[in-house]
């Protein structure tokens, strides 16, 4: 079928982790800068400006060949989307607006390598059973709302997920506000996260700022603040860095600070090599780890060196 | 390779279920009208009128991205087939002749949506370890026989499956007789099903009639009778309905009646939207549920609203 | 993407096994001559004689549709490779040099059908978390070294795998030496295998000779010796046979001898049919079984009859 495309990412590298409870470890990392994936997507023009697309995207571990996302075949994305002048309506297993804001706008590491903002930020990457609507952009403003069915018989609020984001773009400036909440299995309580993000492109240098307020299902609150910068060097080289501070408002004071530096060099339009360093200083009993795009990690220091091929 | 084709179905919709033991539930249905699938098929001309084909077909849940069929990668179909003037011989993980008769001839819902005949009919959709032979059609007659190895060491009859169907087609008329039986793990008993099906196309309206006799492995007998109709409306619209009566001959009298109505509207040759309603009245302790193409369901009333894209 | 290729093997046949503990069994074999597989591979020219390739290769059972390799999605191969004048460097889930020597050089059955050398030889087919380097061929010599990270925190030697092979090719002659060793979970001991292989092509007839020395993690030693022959008959037919003797040096004397004969007939460049017979005589409490390419088997006699299609 002419409209079907097979695409993906093959990313592998060396990952050194230090400071974990069980000691240092050297790994062959799978999906360090970007999670390795294989996807199938298709498109049909339904006429009248309406386009139907579908995406089936698998995540795999290149070091073992196994499927990621607890073995789900298309654990990254599985959706049908109808796009027209009135916006885009999609259903399936989809990224959350919260994750997209963190990944696309906030994080200079784009949730990859040792500096992955998800090492610290409390984030739901994707949700099952979702219906999502994205508005067209109007004077720079757009909105994205998502509802995930809890699919609990007798209690439609149990396990449900609600997410939304609003974005304003104007030339070099992007500002986004994202929110998500998920009810527990009896709908007696819900966790929630709210994040405000700003990004400004000063020529080849981009500044990133993000602040998130989190409340878990037991009512404990915390805050995450990120300051990031990325610089497109002459030609193929890119440098990026971020500092993230996690502030625990409870008496346990499980605070943490992450600092990370990354570098990538494009060998071609589709292939780059990269290196990164990240370190987390946990306070009290905080137990944050330096991970990568595809791995949550086991140490408080992480070093990455790898190659990423996009196909 | 020029002969390889990637194909599939992406089908998703809203499914409302009422009357289940745990209460009503709203779901994002995966594969409501047709089960969502991704397949790879290829063909080689071996000369002399002989064609080799293979099919590897995965079933997935578009609401979670997970593989269906208990996680089997190609859980829908995996087979090699050699076709020639003498018929088609295939081996692998294949549809049963019984299922093909139910799906292709008997059921106006084509085993999809709330009216899926499989909600009531006792049916084996596919079997492992099968060898199947389909005759050419001769004066309207054709036959399909299938043997599934039990693969039990020391007892070749244990767990084996035997299926067959005979079909007569003459212009608007199709009549088919299908049978299947499966031995239990010690080959001390077997379940069996026999079904007679008739279909007649009166112009744009098609009538469907099916009657099945079932005997389970313990010897209990039941009967299923279906009356169905489908109508191709002007242009892109199709209406279909069926009534199915399940008669339990045992003293438990677990009888049931299902009635269902469906509608589909083609947006293009490859995409349609659909709606369906189905209801089951269970008697005694009968516990039949209104499902969809891909889901067995939890309620006695089901409402579907969705979109199906074939690629 | 123009550089992406979808490829694979669909292989199925009848497999009769006799002499197993639970009695004889008839099976629909999945991957008898070659394991059934579906792969995706791609290539990018990075310039300067450097080529990047990736391979994602699934193994599946055509009799059930399930994934092989304990359900791993790309359980056969998952790797990125950079190839240039200085050789090939690859990372991922890869074949071992030991297996490649056994499969490509030593075994006239190419580790398939009832004569699969892996029925007897102690062999690791593939390893996770590997980095591998293959030298260019220089005056007929080439080398292949592989390191598999154990990925055990606090003990970098635990569970690690080391493999290497050296090959000399000169016209009809190939000689190869392969070695592998794997540390146990505490790195207190390791198993190891060393194999010397010779192959000589006398026109259409090829002779194969292999001898392996094995020491398991407890220190028990054994030897495997294989004598094989394959003959390309006129046109499309090929005959091959091997005898393998396993000598257990411990007092348990779990010795065995396997003898096997195989035949294949090419129907086209991509499809062949095949038949094979293999028998193992176990001494003492030895419990070797006649398997196939994809199945370890349950009997001491195996008969195969099948078809293999490469796409």
């Amino acid at each position: 079928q002419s409209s079907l495309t097979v695409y993906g990412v093959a990313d592998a590298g060396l990952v050194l982790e230090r400071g974990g409870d069980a000691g240092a470890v050297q790994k062959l990392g799978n999906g360090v800068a970007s999670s390795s994936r294989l996807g199938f997507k298709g498109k049909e023009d339904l006429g009248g400006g309406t386009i139907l697309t579908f995406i089936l995207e698998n995540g795999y571990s290149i070091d073992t060949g196994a499927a990621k996302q607890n073995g789900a075949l298309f654990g990254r994305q599985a959706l049908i989307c109808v796009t027209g002048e009135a916006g885009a309506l999609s259903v399936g297993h989809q990224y959350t607006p919260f994750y997209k804001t963190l990944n696309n706008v906030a994080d200079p590491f784009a949730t990859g390598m040792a500096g992955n903002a998800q090492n610290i930020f409390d984030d739901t990457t994707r949700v099952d059973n979702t219906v999502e609507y994205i508005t067209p952009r109007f004077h720079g403003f757009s909105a994205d709302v998502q509802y995930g069915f809890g699919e609990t018989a007798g209690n439609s609020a149990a396990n449900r997920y609600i997410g939304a984001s609003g974005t304003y773009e104007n030339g070099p400036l992007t500002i986004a506000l994202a929110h998500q909440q998920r009810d527990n299995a009896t709908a007696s309580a819900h966790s929630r996260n709210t994040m405000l993000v700003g990004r400004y492109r000063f020529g080849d240098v981009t500044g990133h700022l993000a602040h998130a307020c989190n409340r878990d299902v037991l009512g404990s609150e915390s805050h995450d603040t990120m300051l990031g910068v990325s610089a497109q060097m002459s030609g193929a080289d890119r440098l990026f860095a971020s500092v993230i501070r996690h502030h625990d408002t409870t008496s346990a004071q499980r605070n943490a600070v992450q600092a990370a530096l990354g570098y990538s060099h494009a060998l071609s339009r589709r292939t780059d090599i990269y290196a990164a360093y990240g370190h987390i200083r946990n306070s009290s009993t905080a137990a944050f780890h330096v991970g990568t795009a595809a791995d949550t990690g086991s140490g408080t220091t992480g070093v990455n060196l790898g190659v990423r091929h996009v196909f």
Side-chain angles (χ1 to χ4, degrees), chain A:
Chain A
Q1 317 299 5
S2 64
S3 68
L4 186 82
T5 304
V6 183
Y7 68 95
V9 171
D11 179 317
L14 298 180
V15 175
L16 312 182
E17 297 176 359
R18 293 178 173 276
D21 291 341
V25 61
Q26 299 82 46
K27 296 178 179 176
L28 183 70
N30 64 84
V32 178
S34 297
S35 291
S36 294
R37 68 199 73 169
L38 177 71
F40 302 85
K41 62 184 174 188
K43 188 194 260 201
E44 186 187 17
D45 188 336
L46 294 173
T50 305
I51 306 282
L52 181 142
T53 52
F54 69 89
I55 297 177
L56 301 172
E57 190 175 294
N58 163 263
Y60 66 90
S61 295
I62 204 166
D63 55 349
T64 65
K68 296 283 295 181
Q69 286 86 39
N70 297 316
L73 181 61
F74 300 119
R76 290 182 58 83
Q77 296 186 78
L79 61 92
I80 304 183
C81 181
V82 176
T83 310
E85 283 183 13
L89 181 70
S90 57
V91 293
H93 171 70
Q94 305 186 77
Y95 289 121
T96 64
F98 196 91
Y99 168 76
K100 287 185 280 186
T101 302
L102 186 66
N103 181 76
N104 301 344
V105 185
D107 189 359
F109 285 84
T111 66
M113 304 190 209
N116 185 348
Q118 292 177 307
N119 294 341
I120 303 288
F121 276 74
D122 182 21
D123 163 64
T124 301
T125 302
R126 40 183 87 83
V127 175
D128 289 344
N129 312 315
T130 53
V131 178
E132 185 176 12
Y133 170 66
I134 303 177
T135 67
R137 190 177 303 164
F138 185 72
H139 290 304
F141 290 95
S142 62
D144 182 346
V145 293
Q146 188 177 58
Y147 181 82
F149 287 94
E151 298 200 351
T152 306
N155 186 344
S156 64
N159 291 314
R160 78 181 158 188
Y161 177 90
I162 296 169
S165 68
T167 305
Y168 174 71
E169 290 190 66
N170 190 342
L173 173 69
T174 303
I175 296 173
L177 179 68
H179 177 77
Q180 66 176 3
Q181 60 187 72
R182 183 187 279 283
D183 285 83
N184 66 2
T186 56
S188 62
H190 63 265
S191 61
R192 65 186 189 211
N193 307 86
T194 306
M195 179 171 58
L196 181 65
V197 172
R199 185 180 65 191
Y200 197 91
R201 302 186 191 277
F202 307 88
D204 289 337
V205 176
T206 304
H208 301 254
L209 199 60
H211 183 76
C213 300
N214 315 297
R215 201 187 68 171
D216 71 16
V217 76
L218 300 174
S220 297
E221 297 199 0
S222 65
H223 302 277
D224 297 303
T225 309
M226 175 167 65
L227 185 64
V229 64
S230 61
Q232 187 68 45
M233 318 291 282
S234 60
D237 300 279
R238 210 169 78 86
L239 254 179
F240 32 96
S242 67
V243 177
I244 306 176
R245 176 173 173 272
H246 177 76
H247 176 58
D248 177 11
T249 67
T250 71
S251 59
Q253 296 193 308
R254 295 191 196 85
N255 299 315
V257 176
Q258 170 177 296
L261 181 66
Y263 166 74
S264 71
H265 174 76
L267 298 178
S268 75
R269 206 171 54 85
R270 289 162 50 196
T271 304
D272 63 349
I273 51 176
Y274 54 79
Y277 169 89
H279 178 71
I280 293 175
R281 199 184 64 217
N282 286 306
S283 302
S284 177
T285 59
F288 293 94
H289 293 130
V290 174
T292 63
D295 192 354
T296 52
S298 69
T300 53
T301 299
V303 178
N304 310 149
L305 181 65
V307 59
R308 166 175 51 187
H309 175 64
V310 177
F311 58 93

